Amino acid sequence: MAGSGLASRLYRGEAGLDVVGRRKLWFTVAGVLVLLALASFLIRGFNPGIEFAGGNVLRVPASVGTLEEVESRTDTILAEQGDEARVVTAQQVGGGGTGEEFYELKTTQLGPEQDTAARTALAQSFGINVDQISGDRVSKAWGDQVTSRALLGLVIFLAVVSIYLVLRFEWQMAVAAIASLLMNLVLTAGIYSAVGLEVTPSTVIGFLTILGFALYDVVVVFDKVQENTRGITANNNQTYGEAANLALNQSLMRSFNTSVVALLPVGSILFIGAFLLGAGTLKDLGLVLFVGMAVAFLTSILLATPLLVMMKNRDPRIQAHRKRIAARRSAIARGETPGRPAARAATGETEAEPVDAEPAALAGAAPKVGARPAAKRSSGARGGRPAGGSGNRPGGAKRR
Amino acid sequence: MRPGRQLAVLGAVFVVLYLLVFFAGGASGGWKDRLEPRLGLDLVGGTRLTLEATNTVDGRAPNSENLEEARRIIESRVNAFGVAEAEVVTEGDRNIVVSLPGENRDISEVGEAAELRFRKVLKIADGSGAAANPPPASPAPSGSASPAPSGGATPSAGATPSPRVSSSVAATASPAGGQGGAAPASPSPSASPSASSSAAAPTPSASAPPVTAGIEEQRKAVEAKVGPAAWAAATALQAPADLTADPSLAEKLKPFAGLTGREVAVLPAQMQFNVPQITCAQLDDRPPASISAEDQQVVACQGGAGKYLLDQAKVLGTDVDDANAVLDQTNQWVVSLDFSGSGQEKWTGLTREAFNNEGQACDAAALGDTGKCLVAVVLDNEIVSAPEIQGVLTGNSQITGNFTNAEASKLAGQLRFGALPLTFEPAESQNVTASLGASHLRAGLIAAGIGMLLVIIYSFFYYRLLGSVIFFSLILSALLVFGALVFLGRQIGFTLTLAGIAGMIVSLGVAADSFVIYFERLKDEIQEGRSPRSAVSRAWIRARRTIISANAITIMSAVVLYIVSVGTVKGFAFALGLATVLDLVVVFLFRHPIMTMFARTRAFLSPRVSGLGRVLPPRGVEPAKPRNPRVKEA
């Protein structure tokens, strides 16, 4: 298993993918995609479900006849109701051997009386009981209300989560996380707009749930980044970017696994919603979650961390640190004696071996650097440093 | 903490939860019944109606007390259907949700007829839009001094082409309570013509007094739409325009015919009344609550044809104590009316005013057959009945007419329940047949089953034996969630809907994620060369932090969703949040101790079994590099 195949290197977090180094590429790609998404909003717009325009749904058991027959008869009956009532779409839903099948007829908005009258007439026409016909009625105001509440929820959530991230991490991380989150939303909406998927209130709400998941991934990565870069300015082995990239590689499998594991149940919702029920809450939720979470996996890897590094590099301390390392590396490359890491004495850490030439030489290219998660040994990385300082020896042991 | 102690705590949690499930909070019936969670309408079939309060002028939410009062009234209406387990709850800050499990019926009327007002009828005009034939109403605002002989005065009978239920409606001092009835009201036979129950005519609340800035602006917009000439002509009108006398006026006023109900609603009442091009169709189309203001004169229609200018509302729906359809001595259906204490005073005042036609406020054309003023019963935008006042009424009153039992009951119901403090529009309704509900439930359970199976297969594939820890944790989580569902269903009325099932399924992912984080940590630790035992405790401490922060975010999003959202999504958010919290419980009280115990066993040390083996570098392949070529922290 310890071969050098990409899979097993990935598995051990040693794939050494240079994500951070190519951040310009990711930003360009993301920028282009965002532009495409915005263009799609403007040109194609969205495909709103009946909930946003107002409308009715009638569900008639499929046992009464063929779809065409049902549709035309319904249309006739609706026409008698006046107000240019008509069937907008008709489709067969349900089935899959799990239950009765239904014809779902979406119509223009009917008033309560018209709705009742239409159902009675339909039931008579098909010779079934009126309570075998089910249906929904949604006013435009409802769709608007759902959307405005969702937007309110979005704003509140972003505010709460920003505060949380600033407290839990640091402000640059909060900004990077929120930015990649917004990117995620724009891209998901872009996919909806470009493909022309139907947007319902359930979709809008599913959107808000993506937020949680997108951040979940980002938090997993940033947690590692924070751990790897703690006290990074105190030594000269690694720049912030490299440490972040390493963290990213180390948590890649973790991110991948969490995404897969989260997508599996969502996929089953989508599958059942789309194939067994044909339409409705399950399908809408499943679809938006599936698309959004898939996008979230990519943005959390390709955007959040590079963004973070970009912002961190503006920090004067990090900048100075970077220059120091560059100077030292060029010195090593010229064959001079490697400068002692200034910080070493300070930490009293004897284990930090003199840096051999290998990582330094490679450092310019792929961060083979520290293929092994060395920084993890630092006790400070623990959450909240609960056990206080027991050096870098397993503090956790005390807790047992 | 020792692993055994944590497991004991978990056991205690379980015992307590299931004791609650079986014995607390109204648990009853057989063991199986006690394990039934409350299922939503989309799973068992039934009808759900969401009513949205709409008399919120600038989009602000209505007063929460009013909403609660409206909920109670609607609940009593729903209960009148005699449906078991009907549920009426408020949702968000402006919605009322009515659920009737197991019933597939039209219940949209429960939210109707929100605001009841008693208003004296001042003038009557034709609202049919037959503008060419001007209505007969005489222009003088104060009418003629003496009550016009009833014959000619019969309001719009001649003018309105639409058929009207001609029910004579006379409020009479009922025999029982009639001590003070000054004018012994004759139980009027079928004399006075006033349509009861027939059509709806909305009246806009537009008359002069306190006009908000918003209305002023909208008025400007309407003025711009009809053009200055039409606006000036309409403003100049002192009475319903007599188009036969001045044909040019018809041309000028024409633009008013093109206004929507919403636009008509912002016009001043006088204008709505005076411009004949504004028809009852437009008035009926005004948004709800357009004429609810008590202190303004308004215009409303009856029967879609008669256009009435109405006085300020002196008696409100809340003043009505009770109203019932009863049979009087002559075997006629009448509606008897009871007022509350202060309401009775107001009612007496109003009837005195109307009976004596004080100040000759009522136009001659607007008097009843016996020459007394009419008092219109206005529900929302429509006049449901405009009985002539037969006396100064100090006690119980009766509205008589040629009512059928149903008509009388309906009017009585409107009077009794018309006191809704808010106006509602059906925003969303859903009815689901029982078989569709069953197929929803089945689909939801299948989705949950497949989702769980996939997650478990994946974890066994990836983590081998450790997969079994995930497996048992998920089972435990599921049991906890189920218990919580049953208990909360009884305790706080939480119902599990299809969206809720979706939330549960999504939370499977969250639960499994926390394992991935932990196991990947463990892998790292072992890779660093630790023994499984020490790796477990170290990995736990580090993973814990990540798990808590990640779950905290999921919980935050669930809480925000739950608080803010409307509709079925609330169920989704609740389920997601609940499952995530319970996942944390399982992580802390089950997963960690069980892993600690696992780490002590021999089997765990065998790489093949634990699934972590792959990360142990086969001896010799990985050069014994210094373990840590990098960086210690400062």
Side-chain angles (χ1 to χ4, degrees):
Chain A
M1 289 299 247
S4 54
L6 180 65
S8 75
R9 279 187 294 132
L10 266 177
Y11 182 77
R12 289 196 305 268
E14 292 171 5
L17 302 177
D18 185 14
V19 174
V20 170
R22 294 198 197 127
R23 56 180 177 265
K24 286 217 174 81
L25 173 65
W26 311 130
F27 292 159
T28 315
V29 170
V32 169
L33 288 179
V34 166
L35 283 181
L36 283 179
L38 291 178
S40 174
F41 295 164
L42 288 178
I43 297 164
R44 293 181 55 100
F46 290 95
N47 172 20
I50 59 159
E51 290 84 353
F52 292 99
N56 286 44
V57 178
L58 293 169
R59 283 187 213 93
V60 184
S63 52
V64 297
T66 65
L67 182 59
E68 290 74 27
E69 195 186 338
V70 172
E71 186 178 354
S72 68
R73 275 212 231 176
T74 312
D75 229 356
T76 322
I77 286 169
L78 286 179
E80 289 163 12
Q81 303 298 322
D83 281 356
E84 296 177 8
R86 63 192 168 83
V87 175
V88 180
T89 62
Q91 65 175 128
Q92 180 171 343
V93 300
T98 57
E100 297 159 47
E101 299 177 359
F102 289 86
Y103 295 131
E104 189 174 86
L105 305 150
K106 294 191 174 176
T107 71
T108 51
Q109 173 107 53
L110 305 174
E113 299 83 17
Q114 289 175 317
D115 188 25
T116 315
R119 282 184 203 204
T120 318
L122 267 178
Q124 267 175 3
S125 156
F126 295 123
I128 53 175
N129 222 335
V130 70
D131 63 11
Q132 283 179 272
I133 299 179
S134 56
D136 305 337
R137 177 172 178 276
V138 186
S139 74
K140 180 173 184 314
W142 179 248
D144 293 347
Q145 195 186 155
V146 169
T147 311
S148 70
R149 304 294 283 184
L151 290 179
L152 178 65
L154 177 65
V155 172
I156 295 180
F157 179 74
L158 286 182
V160 171
V161 135
S162 309
I163 294 171
Y164 177 77
L165 289 176
V166 170
L167 293 180
R168 169 69 175 73
F169 297 105
E170 50 193 340
W171 71 265
Q172 287 103 332
M173 286 190 175
V175 173
I178 301 285
S180 82
L181 189 66
L182 292 178
M183 184 73 80
N184 186 1
L185 290 182
V186 170
L187 293 184
T188 308
I191 290 175
Y192 260 77
S193 166
V195 182
L197 300 172
E198 192 181 35
V199 179
T200 66
S202 298
T203 313
V204 173
I205 291 306
F207 228 62
L208 294 195
T209 322
I210 307 177
L211 301 178
F213 272 96
L215 281 177
Y216 197 110
D217 279 347
V218 175
V219 164
V220 170
V221 178
F222 278 10
D223 210 48
K224 191 74 186 172
V225 172
Q226 196 184 32
E227 185 180 311
N228 279 12
T229 59
R230 185 155 295 175
I232 188 157
T233 50
N235 70 73
N236 284 345
N237 295 319
Q238 207 182 16
T239 65
Y240 190 91
E242 287 158 6
N245 196 51
L246 177 65
L248 207 119
N249 274 293
Q250 287 167 345
S251 51
L252 199 59
M253 230 24 227
R254 203 171 308 174
S255 277
F256 180 74
N257 272 332
T258 54
S259 294
V260 168
V261 157
L263 278 174
L264 287 176
V266 171
S268 82
I269 294 180
L270 180 58
F271 178 79
I272 297 296
F275 291 97
L276 287 189
L277 291 182
T281 316
L282 276 194
K283 193 195 95 185
D284 296 339
L285 271 177
L287 186 62
V288 72
L289 285 174
F290 198 87
V291 172
M293 284 160 66
V295 174
F297 170 64
L298 293 177
T299 52
S300 70
I301 299 289
L302 298 182
L303 282 174
T305 313
L307 263 177
L308 171 68
V309 171
M310 191 181 78
M311 275 188 294
K312 271 290 190 183
N313 280 347
R314 302 234 163 117
D315 186 327
R317 275 175 51 228
I318 300 289
Q319 229 166 10
H321 177 238
R322 211 157 46 120
K323 281 187 187 139
R324 217 159 61 225
I325 291 178
R328 183 161 158 276
R329 283 188 186 153
S330 59
I332 293 170
R334 286 194 303 272
E336 295 167 15
T337 321
R340 283 287 183 203
R344 234 186 54 183
T347 57
E349 193 62 72
T350 50
E351 216 178 314
E353 298 291 335
V355 181
D356 48 17
E358 186 209 352
L362 286 172
K368 165 73 177 156
V369 197
R372 326 190 107 224
K376 259 196 267 99
R377 304 227 34 208
S378 55
S379 66
R382 268 188 284 108
R385 278 164 271 193
S390 59
N392 64 347
R393 284 299 150 211
K398 283 207 291 194
R399 298 184 59 83
R400 295 172 54 213
Chain B
M1 235 203 300
R2 306 197 138 273
R5 212 178 300 167
Q6 286 163 337
L7 288 176
V9 171
L10 182 67
V13 167
F14 248 91
V15 170
V16 169
L17 180 63
Y18 275 86
L19 281 179
L20 287 175
V21 164
F22 281 114
F23 300 108
S28 60
W31 293 108
K32 199 156 167 284
D33 294 341
R34 296 181 188 205
L35 273 178
E36 296 256 309
R38 273 174 73 109
L39 295 180
L41 294 179
D42 48 356
L43 300 181
V44 294
T47 305
R48 190 188 64 224
L49 171 68
T50 304
L51 297 163
E52 184 184 358
T54 52
N55 54 344
T56 50
V57 183
D58 42 6
R60 266 183 300 135
N63 182 322
S64 63
E65 285 165 22
N66 287 347
L67 193 63
E68 176 56 27
E69 193 187 335
R71 190 198 67 77
R72 277 200 306 271
I73 294 167
I74 290 177
E75 189 166 39
S76 62
R77 289 180 187 177
V78 172
N79 287 339
F81 291 152
V83 177
E85 294 184 64
E87 189 185 64
V88 182
V89 295
T90 59
E91 181 189 80
D93 56 6
R94 66 189 62 192
N95 296 333
I96 291 184
V97 181
V98 181
S99 319
L100 297 184
E103 291 270 322
N104 187 354
R105 61 193 286 176
D106 178 25
I107 53 170
S108 53
E109 77 265 24
V110 297
E112 279 177 7
E115 288 176 276
L116 178 67
R117 300 275 187 270
F118 292 87
R119 294 172 183 270
K120 204 166 57 171
V121 177
L122 299 180
K123 295 184 199 175
I124 299 178
D126 176 24
S128 63
N133 301 318
S138 74
S142 57
S144 57
S146 64
S150 59
T154 316
S156 45
T160 58
S162 72
R164 299 172 55 178
V165 184
S166 170
S167 60
S168 102
V169 180
T172 63
S174 74
Q179 1 87 308
S186 59
S188 87
S190 67
S192 69
S194 69
S196 70
S197 75
S198 46
T203 48
S205 69
S207 72
V211 175
T212 63
I215 296 230
E216 199 55 62
E217 246 170 55
Q218 292 169 30
R219 243 177 230 180
K220 287 246 167 59
V222 177
E223 187 177 343
K225 182 170 176 184
V226 298
W231 186 264
T235 316
L237 290 174
Q238 291 303 317
D242 186 355
L243 298 180
T244 44
D246 184 2
S248 69
L249 207 51
E251 198 52 40
K252 273 193 217 153
L253 294 176
K254 213 170 175 185
F256 280 97
L259 296 182
T260 64
R262 198 166 285 278
E263 287 162 340
V264 166
V266 302
L267 298 174
Q270 287 292 343
M271 196 182 286
Q272 292 181 33
F273 185 70
N274 290 338
V275 177
Q277 275 77 4
I278 296 178
T279 64
C280 278
Q282 282 162 293
L283 292 171
D284 286 355
D285 219 20
R286 287 174 299 186
S290 292
I291 59 166
S292 61
E294 298 160 26
D295 54 355
Q296 299 186 0
Q297 295 191 349
V298 300
V299 177
C301 283
Q302 180 170 24
K307 201 154 107 177
Y308 290 57
L309 178 65
L310 305 172
D311 198 9
Q312 300 171 354
K314 301 268 170 63
V315 180
L316 307 181
T318 43
D319 295 324
V320 177
D321 197 28
D322 201 5
N324 290 295
V326 294
L327 275 174
D328 71 357
Q329 302 92 322
T330 61
N331 227 16
Q332 286 273 329
W333 282 102
V334 299
V335 177
S336 83
L337 259 178
D338 264 338
F339 289 90
S340 63
S342 62
Q344 182 65 50
E345 274 171 41
K346 293 194 219 167
W347 176 243
T348 306
L350 178 63
T351 53
R352 180 180 300 120
E353 220 179 86
F355 184 70
N356 299 333
N357 196 2
E358 285 174 9
Q360 303 304 331
C362 306
D363 197 15
L367 296 178
D369 288 351
T370 55
K372 312 297 179 199
C373 288
L374 308 178
V375 168
V377 180
V378 185
L379 266 180
D380 275 347
N381 289 348
E382 76 182 89
I383 297 177
V384 293
S385 174
E388 183 179 6
I389 299 301
Q390 301 281 322
V392 180
L393 303 171
T394 56
N396 291 353
S397 306
Q398 277 185 351
I399 301 176
T400 61
N402 289 327
F403 294 129
T404 64
N405 184 3
E407 285 165 352
S409 302
K410 182 176 174 193
L411 181 57
Q414 285 169 326
L415 289 167
R416 191 167 55 222
F417 295 130
L420 276 187
L422 297 168
T423 318
F424 291 92
E425 259 182 16
E428 189 222 9
S429 75
Q430 185 183 39
N431 48 46
V432 175
T433 58
S435 63
L436 183 60
S439 78
H440 280 164
L441 179 59
R442 199 163 32 212
L445 293 181
I446 291 175
I450 293 182
M452 192 141 175
L453 194 68
L454 287 177
V455 168
I456 287 172
I457 289 176
Y458 186 80
S459 37
F460 272 112
F461 165 76
Y462 197 81
Y463 293 112
R464 302 190 188 181
L465 186 62
L466 287 183
S468 61
V469 177
I470 300 186
F471 176 72
F472 285 116
S473 301
L474 289 183
I475 298 282
L476 267 180
S477 282
L479 286 176
L480 279 178
V481 167
F482 182 77
L485 269 185
V486 175
F487 179 64
L488 292 178
R490 274 206 306 266
Q491 216 55 35
I492 63 168
F494 173 72
T495 41
L496 182 65
T497 59
L498 193 56
I501 294 184
M504 299 281 174
I505 300 174
V506 169
S507 75
L508 274 180
V510 178
D513 276 359
S514 58
F515 286 94
V516 172
I517 291 172
Y518 183 37
F519 290 159
E520 290 291 310
R521 271 289 182 186
L522 199 55
K523 197 176 77 178
D524 288 350
E525 298 294 337
I526 290 179
Q527 195 176 12
E528 272 186 42
R530 277 177 214 291
S531 77
R533 279 182 71 166
S534 74
V536 162
S537 69
R538 283 178 60 81
W540 163 242
I541 286 162
R542 286 163 179 181
R544 189 172 59 189
R545 183 174 138 93
T546 313
I547 292 172
I548 291 177
S549 5
N551 275 5
I553 285 183
T554 306
I555 292 172
M556 267 186 238
S557 76
V559 168
V560 170
L561 265 183
Y562 183 76
I563 294 174
V564 169
S565 69
V566 293
T568 51
V569 180
K570 260 192 158 36
F572 174 82
F574 190 92
L576 181 62
L578 177 71
T580 310
V581 169
L582 291 177
D583 169 54
L584 277 180
V585 171
V586 170
V587 163
F588 274 80
L589 297 182
F590 175 74
R591 208 254 316 278
H592 172 52
I594 215 78
M595 284 301 289
T596 313
M597 287 160 81
F598 250 48
R600 294 179 186 163
T601 63
R602 285 219 157 267
F604 191 80
L605 296 173
S606 148
R608 292 239 164 265
V609 184
S610 74
L612 296 174
R614 281 180 287 175
V615 302
L616 292 174
R619 251 167 246 286
V621 174
E622 199 85 351
K625 274 206 290 187
R627 260 238 321 281
N628 192 351
R630 254 188 312 112
V631 190
K632 289 285 111 177
E633 68 188 278

